Amino acid sequence: MRNVLRRTAAGLLAAALLATTVTASAQAAAPSSGFDNWTCKPSAAHPNPLVLLHGLGGNGPGNYSYLGPYLAAKGYCAYTLTYGQATPAIPVGGTISIVQSSAQIEAFVDRVRASTGAAKVDLVGHSEGGFQSIYGPKVRGYAAKVGKVVALAPPTHGTTFGGLVSVGDYLGLRPLVDQVLREYGCPACGELIVGGSEVAKLTAGPIAQPGVKYTVIASKFDALVTPHETSFIREPGVKNQFVQDTCPFDPVGHVGLAFDPTVAQLVSNALDPAHASRVVCGFGPAL
């Protein structure tokens, strides 16, 4: 009888150890946070994965080399892509037509949803990426796939300055940007200025879509998207804020928004307002 009990106890212990090992292995294979980690599975705390959209003349990995890991460390599954490339051989994005780029972005949103099993994503966009984060849910009509939008200096109503490819300068991509502009031009540049065709589509009627929560963050020292208020969506339920409303002495410029510790905290609070924390003011690049 004792031998039977021993064997039974040993079997139960082995089963428990096996279950623990399998559970641990599953957790290791499917982390609840990560940046561009396609094994990531969203946690209950952050059920919507993030899609991070870069600015014109930049690329996903470069534009989000700071903010991507920062948000992953907060517990998110975060993903980025380089959309709108004139040629796959040159890692510079956002220069082709807004229409074409927006189709690529929606396909990527669907890929993230399929990989993570999430019903919705949250969009974080910078510069043209900010515009795309607002444009896609309305003009392409995929608002049902989006929970929140956090847009950094989007040229929502068009900008009076066409030099949006300066994102590439900060990322060290200027020679490649120049090559793209020389060989392929920049259809998106003309579409994003005041009176541009895709600005007209976005601003015809209400911009904010039902069921989507919007936050727009801009800087008073932005020299590229001007006037600064052109970023804001003056509609019910949309939170518009300048970085300097929170941190008056932060000199961050247009490009620097994606690399500013102050802005990173504002983005985190916008994505999870129920657990918003006090912002500790930092200093972003004045570019």
Side-chain angles (χ1 to χ4, degrees):
M1 182 66 176
R2 288 181 180 176
N3 288 337
V4 173
L5 290 174
R6 286 197 190 99
R7 286 196 297 270
T8 302
L12 291 172
L13 178 61
L17 289 173
L18 178 60
T20 302
T21 301
V22 170
T23 300
S25 299
Q27 289 174 341
S32 60
S33 66
F35 180 45
D36 278 340
N37 186 335
W38 291 93
T39 65
C40 188
K41 297 299 179 184
S43 65
H46 300 301
N48 289 358
L50 307 180
V51 172
L52 312 178
L53 304 177
H54 64 80
L56 198 159
N59 58 39
N63 209 146
Y64 286 99
S65 57
Y66 173 72
L67 194 52
Y70 175 90
L71 292 170
K74 291 286 186 180
Y76 291 94
C77 295
Y79 303 88
T80 191
L81 77 159
T82 300
Y83 65 84
Q85 291 176 263
T87 171
I90 302 178
V92 168
T95 58
I96 69 173
S97 169
I98 296 294
V99 175
Q100 292 175 273
S101 289
S102 65
Q104 295 174 11
I105 291 168
E106 183 178 7
F108 188 79
V109 165
D110 288 338
R111 180 187 173 195
V112 169
R113 291 171 61 238
S115 175
T116 60
K120 296 184 178 185
V121 303
D122 292 339
L123 302 177
V124 178
H126 176 218
S127 191
E128 182 193 346
F131 183 91
Q132 291 280 9
S133 72
I134 299 166
Y135 178 96
K138 175 182 176 177
V139 179
R140 285 198 64 83
Y142 60 83
K145 303 175 186 179
V146 178
K148 297 184 182 72
V149 166
V150 183
L152 309 179
T156 307
H157 299 275
T159 174
T160 57
F161 190 75
L164 296 171
V165 293
S166 293
V167 173
D169 291 338
Y170 188 76
L171 299 179
L173 301 173
R174 189 66 212 191
L176 298 178
V177 172
D178 287 342
Q179 181 181 348
V180 168
L181 297 181
R182 184 171 58 253
E183 296 181 11
Y184 302 96
C186 181
C189 294
E191 294 170 344
L192 292 172
I193 62 172
V194 174
S197 60
E198 302 317 303
V199 170
K201 289 181 185 177
L202 177 61
T203 56
I207 296 172
Q209 297 299 290
V212 182
K213 296 181 180 179
Y214 294 81
T215 301
V216 180
I217 301 171
S219 173
K220 293 181 179 180
F221 299 110
D222 192 325
L224 293 177
V225 172
T226 54
H228 306 133
E229 290 79 5
T230 193
S231 291
F232 292 156
I233 303 171
R234 304 291 189 184
E235 295 176 15
V238 178
K239 183 176 182 179
N240 299 291
Q241 61 186 134
F242 283 114
V243 175
Q244 291 76 23
D245 293 339
T246 303
C247 296
F249 302 109
D250 189 340
V252 67
H254 180 80
V255 176
L257 286 165
F259 305 92
D260 184 353
T262 300
V263 174
Q265 295 170 78
L266 294 174
V267 171
S268 178
N269 285 347
L271 290 170
D272 190 8
H275 299 94
S277 58
R278 184 179 67 87
V279 174
V280 178
C281 292
F283 300 93
L287 299 169

